[in-house]
Amino acid sequence: MTLDLKAWAERAVADTIFGWHCRGLSLVLCLRTPYSSLGVLMCETPRLLTAEDSKQPHILIEGRQEAFNQIGRTNPPPGSHSFGALLRHDTGIAIAAEPLKQAQALAALERLIELSRPERPYFEGHGFEHDEVAVTGHRKHLCTSGNRQASIHYLEAGRGVPIIFLHTAGADSGQYLHQLADCALQASYRMLAFDMPWHGLSSGENNREFTAGYQLTEEAYLDWCAGFIEQVAGGPAIIIGCSMGAAIALTLTARRPDLVLGCIALEAPMTAPGRRSELLTDARIADSQHNPAYVRAMLGPNCPQRQRDEACAIYAQARPGCYMGDLAYYSNEYDGARIAAPLAGSGRPVVLLTGSYDYSASPANTRQLHDAVNSDNVTFNEMPELGHFPMIEDPTRFRPHLLTALKRLGD
């Protein structure tokens, strides 16, 4: 299928969401192949430009027609599925832009890539019995062994073996709403998902609500996780974390196996350098638009649009600086090589699950971690069609992978 650049651009300038993300901008975008060129003025009311008007664009997306065709496929290959992926993969598409302007336009650019593909139903329901009303919110004043205090908010559902879900960097426990709402899981597990301090509905730490200069450390993260397990779960639990949550879930399993029954690590890297960016907190950028777009790039392109939007909405509500501060741990401090040996020696079963469209913790990156641990207790499986946030971007498609992993922990 040939991606018609003109039809694509026309669809973009008529799209309400693209136009919303262009508010306040005045940038020239150019789409160019060796045989054609057209421009879009990204502004309050986007419009098409002539090739002459877009000769000196602020943002240039250029490549052979064949490379553009990959973007527009119903099932694009990993690397061609989002603007962020195009920036980071050699797909035959070159992008030239000044970093600040690119960041200011990032939400619109991610929407542009979505619009290259045929429209699909926005949402067709969950493919399993689903009861959000059974999920309840609670608060617990935690005082950890490391003398940290906060009013911690958490979600809870079900009865049985305890599972604790750990959210990603800059996010909150709402990422796991659909697992807690799973009626079959409620029948077998007591599921708990908590907001770290300064995240979601939790308070800040030690009576500080400001986030200026916030940086998460492994020591603090472990302290909060251990405190929650001991004081709320009441004993060892299955630990399920994603991304940053996966990194600490594995670290907890390696360093405190007494608190862990088993571990499921979603999108766990060997290392994840380069994710932290100063543009995640910058007064010149609307972080409630930029930061959700920064993560939207890692979602599976065929996940339900409602779920893609829900996954990103969590990031639109985050406190300024939290996402960048969390990445100080995930992208700079965490190193799978440090925990490989103690993880192998923990005696706890570990399942690694990674989505094909994830480039923060790619399947190859997770395989590297799996091989470094080199233990029969640790297994790895790739999840086709999913990205970096499988539990929320497509709960129905993710569910079989989760059920299989839980069964393995019980074997």
Side-chain angles (χ1 to χ4, degrees):
M1 173 182 166
T2 299
L3 178 60
D4 184 325
L5 299 192
K6 187 172 186 294
W8 178 23
E10 288 174 341
R11 185 180 177 194
V13 299
D15 182 70
T16 300
I17 297 172
F18 180 80
W20 178 259
H21 289 318
C22 286
R23 295 173 71 247
L25 298 177
S26 183
L27 300 175
V28 174
L29 165 68
C30 181
L31 305 172
R32 186 181 296 164
T33 73
Y35 308 107
S36 64
S37 179
L38 60 89
V40 173
L41 181 61
M42 303 174 74
C43 63
E44 190 87 17
T45 306
R47 61 182 175 84
L48 296 184
L49 298 173
T50 65
E52 184 67 26
D53 289 336
S54 56
K55 271 188 175 179
Q56 295 183 312
H58 298 101
I59 302 168
L60 173 64
I61 305 177
E62 185 174 27
R64 298 180 62 82
Q65 182 65 49
E66 293 80 3
F68 278 104
N69 293 345
Q70 295 300 307
I71 297 172
R73 283 174 50 183
T74 302
N75 293 293
S80 294
H81 62 283
S82 69
F83 184 80
L86 291 170
L87 287 171
R88 295 166 175 85
H89 293 80
D90 183 11
T91 63
I93 295 290
I95 296 172
E98 191 272 318
L100 176 61
K101 288 183 171 60
Q102 179 175 285
Q104 291 171 330
L106 191 61
L109 293 167
E110 288 297 348
R111 178 59 177 169
L112 176 74
I113 300 301
E114 288 181 346
L115 293 169
S116 70
R117 298 172 194 130
E119 188 171 3
R120 302 178 58 176
Y122 187 69
F123 183 62
E124 296 181 296
H126 297 290
F128 54 93
E129 191 176 355
H130 184 274
D131 182 12
E132 293 182 14
V133 176
V135 182
T136 55
H138 305 268
R139 283 192 175 276
K140 171 72 174 178
H141 184 81
L142 285 188
C143 182
T144 72
S145 62
N147 294 319
R148 296 178 173 86
Q149 298 185 46
S151 175
I152 296 297
H153 170 265
Y154 63 95
L155 300 176
E156 182 173 4
R159 297 170 64 87
V161 178
I163 296 178
I164 294 175
F165 294 94
L166 304 175
H167 62 72
T168 66
D172 60 51
S173 60
Q175 290 181 316
Y176 294 100
L177 172 63
H178 303 296
Q179 286 71 53
L180 272 69
D182 187 322
C183 296
L185 291 178
Q186 290 170 5
S188 299
Y189 299 98
R190 179 191 176 202
M191 296 177 285
L192 303 156
F194 74 96
D195 301 334
M196 281 285 287
W198 290 293
H199 296 68
L201 297 179
S202 288
S203 74
E205 183 180 312
N206 296 341
N207 293 316
R208 292 182 292 113
E209 292 299 333
F210 63 86
T211 53
Y214 164 74
Q215 287 199 11
L216 181 63
T217 65
E218 181 180 283
E219 178 188 5
Y221 204 177
L222 276 174
D223 195 30
W224 282 115
C225 290
F228 188 83
I229 293 170
E230 292 167 344
Q231 297 175 49
V232 180
I238 294 170
I239 311 299
I240 301 177
C242 183
S243 186
M244 176 185 88
I248 202 64
L250 293 170
T251 303
L252 185 70
T253 304
R255 292 182 55 181
R256 291 295 307 272
D258 57 302
L259 298 177
V260 179
L261 298 175
C263 174
I264 300 174
L266 312 174
E267 319 306 321
M270 182 68 169
T271 59
R275 286 302 295 160
R276 192 171 187 269
S277 167
E278 294 296 324
L279 294 175
L280 292 168
T281 303
D282 189 304
R284 299 166 295 177
I285 298 167
D287 57 2
S288 65
Q289 291 204 69
H290 172 271
N291 294 3
Y294 195 69
V295 304
R296 185 179 288 272
M298 294 183 287
L299 302 177
N302 285 318
C303 295
Q305 191 67 23
R306 174 186 181 270
Q307 290 308 127
R308 289 167 55 84
D309 291 345
E310 185 179 338
C312 294
I314 289 174
Y315 280 84
Q317 302 172 72
R319 299 193 197 193
C322 276
Y323 189 20
M324 185 173 72
D326 285 346
L327 292 176
Y329 162 69
Y330 174 69
S331 190
N332 295 352
E333 184 180 6
Y334 166 77
D335 183 355
R338 285 195 295 111
I339 61 169
L343 192 59
S346 71
R348 300 295 182 266
V350 175
V351 179
L352 305 174
L353 298 173
T354 297
S356 298
Y357 285 97
D358 188 0
Y359 56 76
S360 174
S362 68
N365 198 343
T366 305
R367 285 191 190 96
Q368 186 182 1
L369 174 64
H370 170 266
D371 293 346
V373 178
N374 191 25
S375 168
D376 291 339
N377 288 335
V378 180
T379 61
F380 166 66
N381 285 291
E382 184 173 341
M383 298 182 287
E385 298 192 59
L386 293 172
H388 191 69
F389 305 88
M391 64 285 188
I392 188 169
E393 67 185 69
D394 198 335
T396 299
R397 190 173 276 139
F398 169 63
R399 189 172 186 265
H401 299 285
L402 176 61
L403 294 180
T404 299
L406 287 170
K407 184 177 185 299
R408 167 151 178 86
L409 295 190
D411 287 347

